[in-house]
Amino acid sequence: MASLPTLRAVWGSAPLFSVGVSVLIQDEAGRVLLQHRGDDGLWGTPGGGLDPGEGFLEAAHRELREETGLECPNLALMGLDEGLVGGPEFYHRYPGGDEVYMVGMRTHGTLPAAALTGARPDDSGETLALAWFGLDDLPPLSANANVASMNVLRARAGLKPLPLLPFPDPPPLSNHLARLRAAVGPRPLFVPGASVLVGNERGRLLLLRHARTGQWVLPGGKLHPGESFRACAHRELHEETGLRAVRLTPVQLLQGPEFRYEDSGIWDSVGVLYRAEEVTGELTLPEGEIAEAQWWTADELKGAELLGLYTRRSVEAWAGQTSPSSRASLRP
């Protein structure tokens, strides 16, 4: 992504998405590794923003190395239920006044306590100190992203959640990413969003034909600042189909260099795929954006003109087509 300081030069201090990764490391006693931060003097997990085209796990290893000098061989993405970050509570205002809504994923790994003796943070000043802390004896934490991460670990340990820090109401829904694109030109930008798999009782999948491209897509779209991935999925499902789901279950994270595309600039997708359950309502399409809707069987989908790799991977998740040969059978 264009670096936040570069974006600030044309956007000012108003809210931006900060797409990043948190690195949760625990030792053999269950203590968590925290970093004494140089910007606000509080404590948090190692982590930071993604570089253009970078995957979350790749970024996690890089940030851990930069901020601690450590390597964690078993570092892995957490499951979507525990790992996703996004929503109004992840608002943060930095000491200089810049505002962000943090969006991203958590990773988790383990290291022996003695590994800390070999820690060598870089000289950026981000890390003032590193220390192990018990989950029931945590220091003052920086931002709700860190409070929420500690609550994930505390829930695993059977501890009560910590209260979140106060946060403002999100701004009104707006064409945030379109306005940002107009301001920054064609440089790479992350685009967080959500898509929804809607099946019917006959085992068919709902796809929508995009009016501009003529290709088939899932219901879905881009996040608004302060919106969670799940809230985005609910909103887009209703806006594009008139349908509502009692539950949306996260199925897959679609992110990484293979999900980069160009459309009036370079976009790096950060998408979460949900499965709709207990769907109600009457199928109603918005004028202009969606040309038609159609229910597809798995066999019929092999000949569908699907919009991009993102849609193809989503359809494969629904159809159970995960082998290289079956992936190749879906037309670009």
Side-chain angles (χ1 to χ4, degrees):
M1 187 177 82
S3 67
L4 287 181
T6 301
L7 296 182
R8 293 296 180 193
V10 296
W11 194 253
S13 61
L16 287 167
F17 287 119
S18 179
V19 179
V21 63
S22 299
V23 184
L24 283 59
I25 303 292
Q26 291 183 279
D27 69 3
E28 58 269 34
R31 297 180 300 174
V32 63
L33 178 63
L34 295 182
Q35 162 200 46
H36 193 193
R37 297 174 56 90
D39 57 357
D40 58 14
L42 300 174
W43 292 80
T45 65
L50 272 62
D51 289 335
E54 190 175 38
F56 281 116
L57 188 57
E58 178 186 2
H61 281 288
R62 175 181 55 77
E63 289 287 342
L64 180 64
R65 186 165 52 250
E66 291 174 357
E67 296 183 354
T68 71
L70 300 173
E71 301 282 353
C72 180
N74 66 359
L75 191 63
L77 291 174
M78 300 183 82
L80 291 175
D81 285 332
E82 290 186 319
L84 274 179
V85 172
E89 67 270 32
F90 293 102
Y91 168 88
H92 183 63
R93 186 176 186 271
Y94 288 98
D98 292 342
E99 299 174 88
V100 297
Y101 280 99
M102 297 181 180
V103 172
M105 281 290 292
R106 301 182 181 96
T107 60
H108 182 269
T110 57
L111 285 172
L116 199 54
T117 61
R120 297 291 185 271
D122 64 19
D123 58 2
S124 66
E126 273 190 272
T127 305
L128 301 180
L130 295 164
W132 297 106
F133 290 91
L135 294 172
D136 56 354
D137 187 26
L138 294 166
L141 297 172
S142 171
N144 277 336
N146 290 296
V147 177
S149 290
M150 294 304 97
N151 282 342
V152 169
L153 297 182
R154 286 171 64 90
R156 287 185 173 188
L159 299 172
K160 292 182 179 179
L162 302 170
L164 293 175
L165 304 170
F167 55 90
D169 291 333
L173 298 182
S174 66
N175 56 344
H176 170 81
L177 285 169
R179 293 188 294 113
L180 183 59
R181 172 58 72 199
V184 306
R187 70 191 68 180
L189 291 173
F190 285 108
V191 52
S195 300
V196 185
L197 298 169
V198 182
N200 66 9
E201 67 280 359
R202 298 175 61 192
R204 295 172 179 262
L205 178 69
L206 178 65
L207 292 181
L208 310 175
R209 189 162 67 84
H210 198 280
R212 180 166 64 88
T213 67
Q215 294 175 298
W216 294 92
V217 298
L218 293 167
K222 302 176 179 67
L223 261 67
H224 294 298
E227 188 174 41
S228 70
F229 286 98
R230 180 175 272 106
C232 174
H234 275 292
R235 174 179 56 78
E236 290 286 347
L237 175 64
H238 184 65
E239 289 178 356
E240 295 189 345
T241 69
L243 303 175
R244 298 187 185 275
V246 173
R247 288 186 306 280
L248 290 173
T249 301
V251 173
Q252 190 172 11
L253 174 68
L254 298 163
Q255 188 274 332
E258 67 269 35
F259 294 107
R260 168 171 285 190
Y261 68 95
E262 293 190 34
D263 184 5
S264 302
I266 299 172
W267 302 94
D268 286 318
S269 291
V270 182
V272 179
L273 180 65
Y274 287 89
R275 182 178 65 252
E277 299 176 8
E278 297 186 44
V279 177
T280 61
E282 182 178 347
L283 186 59
T284 307
L285 305 182
E287 293 185 8
E289 182 182 358
I290 305 299
E292 63 176 307
Q294 185 172 318
W295 297 93
W296 301 72
T297 67
D299 286 340
E300 290 168 343
L301 283 166
K302 295 176 183 179
E305 290 284 352
L306 303 176
L307 180 59
L309 180 65
Y310 185 101
T311 304
R312 296 201 303 277
R313 291 291 182 265
S314 299
V315 167
E316 288 162 6
W318 174 78
Q321 297 172 330
T322 57
S323 69
S325 59
S326 63
R327 289 178 179 176
S329 69
L330 296 178
R331 296 169 63 184

